[in-house]
Amino acid sequence: MYCNLEWEENRRIVYEAIDYSSMISNAINDLDYTNVIPGKRNLSLLSQEYALYPNYNVYENVGAYLKFKREDESIIREKVMYALSLFDIASLANRRIKELSGGQKQKVALAKLFVRDPSVILFDEPLSNIDEVHKVE
């Protein structure tokens, strides 16, 4: 089981002859997390729905997890601003989610996952709303 997704017994994730099951296992220190509750796994999922808080601005969305974990404000600011810069959306920090394009929302969702520092990120068409120029970046 990944995140909250169902996982069948004895299945492996193989793409282009690379067995990603072992890579995922190694990424989380060889722990068998099949029976670990989802909140304790260091995995993140980026779906097509983005999971953004509509009542928060971009900065608040990206920093929400860190605030929930009660990180120090200076650490939150540093990590959030770094993530926003990395995805070239620092200028959008004060904008509300409803004011963003689909591609901008997708970048916010990526930045939101990035600050969590997960061992593994599972993507469901992560670049579908980003224009061709920015996909390469």
Side-chain angles (χ1 to χ4, degrees):
M1 189 178 219
Y2 293 119
C3 296
N4 288 324
L5 304 176
E6 291 184 23
W7 181 253
E8 295 183 35
E9 284 287 318
N10 301 318
R11 293 285 189 158
R12 305 196 71 65
I13 301 170
V14 178
Y15 179 72
E16 293 183 354
I18 299 171
D19 184 348
Y20 287 94
S21 300
S22 62
M23 293 174 86
I24 291 170
S25 177
N26 291 336
I28 56 173
N29 302 319
D30 292 323
L31 293 175
D32 178 0
Y33 57 91
T34 307
N35 297 315
V36 176
I37 61 171
K40 297 292 183 185
R41 300 175 193 157
N42 194 20
L43 300 174
S44 292
L45 171 66
L46 180 61
S47 70
Q48 290 178 312
E49 298 301 317
Y50 313 132
L52 299 174
Y53 303 112
N55 55 325
Y56 287 5
N57 65 26
V58 169
Y59 180 92
E60 293 165 334
N61 261 281
V62 175
Y65 174 78
L66 301 172
K67 192 169 182 107
F68 172 74
K69 290 291 189 180
R70 293 186 165 86
E71 288 281 353
D72 185 76
E73 269 311 311
S74 62
I75 292 172
I76 293 173
R77 179 158 181 72
E78 180 183 336
K79 288 183 177 184
V80 169
M81 292 312 295
Y82 178 74
L84 294 178
S85 296
L86 184 68
F87 292 99
D88 197 26
I89 53 174
S91 62
L92 306 176
N94 294 316
R95 283 216 197 145
R96 293 280 176 202
I97 297 304
K98 65 183 177 185
E99 299 171 351
L100 304 177
S101 70
Q104 290 169 329
K105 288 178 185 176
Q106 208 156 24
K107 287 181 176 185
V108 172
L110 284 165
K112 185 177 169 184
L113 289 182
F114 183 81
V115 299
R116 292 187 63 173
D117 195 26
S119 296
V120 177
I121 299 176
L122 304 173
F123 294 100
D124 178 19
E125 298 188 35
L127 305 176
S128 60
N129 287 321
I130 297 178
D131 59 72
E132 293 302 319
V133 173
H134 288 102
K135 282 182 186 181
V136 175
E137 290 177 6

